[in-house]
Amino acid sequence: MKLDKQEMIEMLVDMFGQFSPKEIRTITEHELTRRIRKILTLEAVSGTLNDLTSEQIAIFDAAVEGR
């Protein structure tokens, strides 16, 4: 699934807008990049899961649970 760039920017601005400028400045560039990468990965994966059939979801769930 390809993420919509503008939509993701708006989501990140809203998400990080909950923090004060002082709080944001305490996050290192590396940590901020890591957090954004994880958020975008989660968005991409969750969108992919929405496209699965119920059978595919059952297979995915079994794999995640280690069955």
Side-chain angles (χ1 to χ4, degrees), residues 5-19 24 32 35-40 43:
K5 181 179 178 180
Q6 188 60 39
E7 184 179 320
M8 292 299 102
I9 290 171
E10 291 171 11
M11 180 202 56
L12 290 168
V13 167
D14 287 342
M15 188 176 295
F16 285 104
Q18 298 174 24
F19 298 100
I24 293 290
L32 186 60
R35 290 181 187 191
I36 291 171
R37 185 177 296 121
K38 284 186 168 194
I39 292 166
L40 294 177
E43 285 293 318

Side-chain angles (χ1 to χ4, degrees), residues 20-37:
S20 72
K22 184 178 179 180
E23 290 171 313
I24 293 290
R25 283 191 295 272
T26 63
I27 304 171
T28 65
E29 183 177 346
H30 173 76
E31 180 63 17
L32 186 60
T33 301
R34 187 184 73 78
R35 290 181 187 191
I36 291 171
R37 185 177 296 121

